[in-house]
Amino acid sequence: MRHPIRIALVAGARPNFMKIAPLYAALRGRPDAFTVQIIHTGQHYDYKMSRVFFEDLGLPEPDAYLEVGSGLHGEQTARALSGCERYLLTRHADLVVVVGDVNSTAAAALAATKLHIPVAHVEAGLRSGDRAMPEEINRIVTDHLADILYTHCADAGDNLHREGIPAERIVFVGNVMIDTLVALLPRAAESTVLNRLALPPKSYAVLTMHRPENVDHAEGIALVAEVIERVTRRMPLVFPIHPRAAKNLAALLLRSRWNELVENVNLRLIDPLGYIDFLRLMKDARVVLTDSGGIQEETTFLGVPCLTLRENTERPITVTCGTNTIIGLNPRRVAESLQELEHAPRSSPACPPRWDGRAAARIVQHLSNYFEIHPSPATAGEAYRERVELMTEAT
Ligand code: UD1
């Protein structure tokens, strides 16, 4: 085996950063075997959506920042694809690691595959069965391009088998996001966020909403306002608001409804939080309401009841073995569920197998064995590179 193996970690949007952080640390712990590059596509670019996570998670400046920015899905994906291709043509990588299911994930997987660079997908095999979700398309595309598929639960492996992905490509390693959570719980305990909000532990609810199907139209936004109203009748509610939801709440809500929200003393409408503060907020919440994917898993691990305001989930293990209940964006069901929780709280910590803080270590061990068996095809992209050079010279 040629040493060291050059690994490019790709991250684009907020939920990616906590997934690459433990991989970065584990790979850096093996300098004999690996070098690591970080490609940040720039899909998320605000301090509050991106930079604060690099700070909280101890990640270095990325080796490349592709400035993809916001836009239509096709445009955003195309910019990430082109940016990753250009980067990979000039900087050598023996393996590209992509995580999660955002547009940057699928784009980077496609760029690498076309350059004949092997791809590993971390958090492979999740399926909601709902192709209206852009993330579902990204999951399917990425999984069918990847050479190595790292899964974090048994049903993800089952999904991949059903889609005909060869068993030898699928490796059940556990949950890298839980690695980050476990590592940063001690720092979260020192966060001052509850003091800043003047909230005692277990006295409040937390809400996050950002999915286009919920917040990109007036009807959804009105339901969000009604959910807020129902929750705040019972307890204080902290709503760290995603930029998309913030814009739409102000623009799509009736003026009278907006004024009611702003004047609601039980509602704390705040900017998005960094990782450490949000972890503390979640850990000490009485209940979390969300349309996010990752939060369903984090609340399961923390033993905090979670009400998922969607019609489906790609993470059914959080329902069967965890604290999650899928209720849709339905204010009446929110009120009923809050009442049920008061009488029978589902709050015993649940831990799916291999959600133990060791997933990144398992991945690095697997990669080490993988490159023993599959000598790095670092030259596979060379023919293409030469062709590109010829084309560039010719024009
Ligand atoms: C993306 C992911 C989603 C993930 C979410 C986490 C896709 C298809 N979606 O959705 O899976 O759960 O991130 O947040 O990849 N914006 C800012 N500042 C930023 C980034 C975005 O203001 O730093 C605003 C932009 O105006 C944009 C909107 O947020 O219009 C949406 O951003 P985008 O990256 O397109 O998708 P998300 O909805 O955040």
Side-chain angles (χ1 to χ4, degrees), residues 1-2 5 370-378:
M1 181 174 61
R2 205 176 33 78
I5 298 293
Y370 179 89
F371 281 103
E372 291 288 349
I373 304 164
H374 304 81
S376 165

Side-chain angles (χ1 to χ4, degrees), residues 43-46 49 70 102-103 135 210 242-244 247:
Q43 178 174 340
H44 283 175
Y45 42 88
D46 284 351
M49 297 295 283
S70 302
V102 302
N103 287 338
E135 292 82 358
H210 76 278
H242 183 279
R244 167 201 290 289
K247 266 187 241 161

Side-chain angles (χ1 to χ4, degrees), residues 253-319:
L253 212 54
L254 293 176
R255 183 57 39 204
S256 55
R257 210 67 193 283
W258 172 248
N259 291 341
E260 275 170 35
L261 271 193
V262 176
E263 284 158 20
N264 184 335
V265 287
N266 249 357
L267 173 65
R268 316 287 164 82
L269 201 56
I270 60 172
D271 279 338
L273 292 169
Y275 184 81
I276 305 272
D277 281 342
F278 189 71
L279 177 53
R280 175 65 192 274
L281 190 68
M282 215 169 20
K283 177 181 157 301
D284 281 328
R286 205 193 292 180
V287 56
V288 173
L289 301 97
T290 190
D291 65 358
S292 147
I295 291 174
Q296 298 170 45
E297 295 180 354
E298 290 166 332
T299 46
T300 273
F301 185 84
L302 293 167
V304 174
C306 176
L307 302 177
T308 293
L309 308 181
R310 287 168 43 186
E311 298 301 327
N312 51 49
T313 181
E314 62 289 342
R315 294 162 157 92
I317 197 166
T318 59
V319 178

